[in-house]
Amino acid sequence: MVCSQEHLHTGGGDILDLEINRPWEFHSAFPCRTVLIPLMTSGTAFWIINFLQRLGFEMAFNYSYLLLVLPRLIITLLSFLLDYTVHQVAPVWACNPWKALVLLAMSPVTLVFYTRTFGNAVEGVLFALLLLLIKPGNSNPESNSTNSKDHHFIGLVLTVGFFNRPTFLCFALAPLIYWAAQRGSRGSCASHTMLILTLMKTVPSVVLLSGLFVLADTIYYTGHWPLSVTGRESFIKQLMKNTILTPINFLHYNMNPENLAQHGVHPRITHIAVNGFMLFGLCHLFAVSSAFKMLRTLIWSKCNPDKSHYERPPQQASLLLMFYFVPLMSLSFFKHQEPRFLIPLIVPLVLLVSNYNSAMKTKCVIVLFNVTGALFFGCLHQAGLIPSLIHIQQTVQPKFTSSNMSCHHTVLFTHTYMPPLYLLNLKKGQTSVDIIDLAGCNKDLMCQKLRGLQEELSLRNTQVLGRKYHLRAVFPGSITTVIKSCGLAYKDEVLFTPHLSMEDPPKMCDLLSGNLESHLSLHVIEVDVGTTMG
């Protein structure tokens, strides 16, 4: 499934009236994501900043670091639901709670991805909450007064998860079937009938909350109520024409192979063979090994019912394996597979691995992997982008001077992630700063664009009086030679170290050439718009 990177910042443009690069999922022409989740997460932080601004704390609003940290703090606070879930469900599923909590706390997935404003992090929190609601203790027949409401809460979690990311159904499938089977086993009807009847109990809360999401999305993306357009059309036609169903749009977009090809197509084994190891290391290997052992035991018992050479795994371990591999294999049917799609699986994985009695060497390998992963994902990969934006924000903000000269800044990004423009603290409709994102364009197009901008702005500097035009380029050190080959003269260069772009990794020979800092940095240069190199 396709999704933008750190995307829950739509509220920054709506609440703080800032310039943002709105992700494709939130475009009103074909909206694929609900707006309520960003407003409830990052939006909470932006409302706090807006409140501080109204009280006169201007520095709180102008400070880019605050715009960055507060939304992440909201997600970090939500992530503690993972710790609570692990602590509560571990004893019920015969797991070691403290060992599971340690594995969770030291995982790079928790330290990096659950402190960022990813929709996948919200999906992981909801998955953990679902596991908490369906834990075996909640199916105790003697606690009917408590269980009479659990299907309502489960329905609410399902709805929020589905509207946040429709892939949540892949994660919810196995826990839902387990919960319904546990509840249905207390009845006297046929098991399949009770299973369906139990699942149907969630329908009222699902329908009610879905209506709220659809209404909010329709008002936000169209600017009017679903039935506010009058005419000769029938009631049903008006409803179908004006109603925004973001999950349906999301699925429709991702079912089109041409759309997936724009974001990258991967082999269907990428999740289990690459992404699982990249995120979870040896823990993923333990899970795969346990799954093979369980399959071997099941096959052996079917072929040799009178022999018990292989010991059956405990029921709790089998359930945790289902909670881990059913979502993983379901997501593998989609050809666009990014590692972050798997981060909700951290809870069942640490519960499963907590019962392993690992040798000291294995524990050392796990610790080394976690430290390396946290440093790579949290401190190295695309790490220079945010500091460069804060630097650019301080540069392009208008300053009060005695002269009447005004400035216009054009900032070009290339071969980086899409820059979150809200950190530049630019008001909507401003005309003093232009941001151009070339993404991963080829050398010829990049040089052509840079030369064209240099010539255009140089011409403006000679023709427009009272206004000075500036051009800056932001790029990783791995393409420094390409930028130099464009024949540009520049008068200022700032390096932000460390920075590594795995989309354009530096060549090993360049790293060994001695200029390590340049290749592991993000470069911000100010192009001289008056001259070019001969």
Side-chain angles (χ1 to χ4, degrees), residues 8 46 57 62 73 102 104 130 165 194 199 227 229 245 260 265 286 295 304 313 331 342 347 370 423 431 480 492:
L8 294 180
F46 294 137
F57 295 96
N62 292 329
L73 181 60
V102 170
L104 177 67
L130 181 63
R165 285 180 60 85
M194 284 302 301
L199 291 174
L227 297 178
V229 179
L245 300 173
L260 293 181
V265 176
F286 290 154
L295 289 175
N304 303 277
L331 293 173
L342 302 182
V347 170
N370 289 338
L423 292 179
T431 58
T480 302
D492 187 27

Side-chain angles (χ1 to χ4, degrees), residues 147-161:
N147 291 329
S148 61
K149 297 180 180 179
D150 61 355
H151 55 273
H152 294 308
F153 292 115
I154 290 174
L156 294 177
V157 172
L158 285 176
T159 307
V160 176

Side-chain angles (χ1 to χ4, degrees), residues 243-319:
T243 301
I244 300 296
L245 300 173
T246 53
I248 303 302
N249 292 345
F250 182 92
L251 293 172
H252 183 266
Y253 182 92
N254 283 278
M255 292 299 179
N256 189 337
E258 295 180 0
N259 293 335
L260 293 181
Q262 298 176 16
H263 302 270
V265 176
H266 309 94
R268 285 194 168 90
I269 64 169
T270 302
H271 276 325
I272 192 169
V274 179
N275 295 340
F277 289 102
M278 186 183 301
L279 291 176
F280 308 120
L282 280 183
C283 293
H284 179 68
L285 180 62
F286 290 154
V288 173
S289 174
S290 298
F292 275 115
K293 288 180 181 178
M294 186 181 72
L295 289 175
R296 183 181 61 180
T297 301
L298 291 175
I299 295 172
W300 178 267
S301 62
K302 291 291 184 181
C303 298
N304 303 277
D306 299 330
K307 299 181 181 180
S308 57
H309 180 71
Y310 294 112
E311 182 182 354
R312 283 182 172 272
Q315 182 184 9
Q316 296 91 338
S318 301
L319 283 171

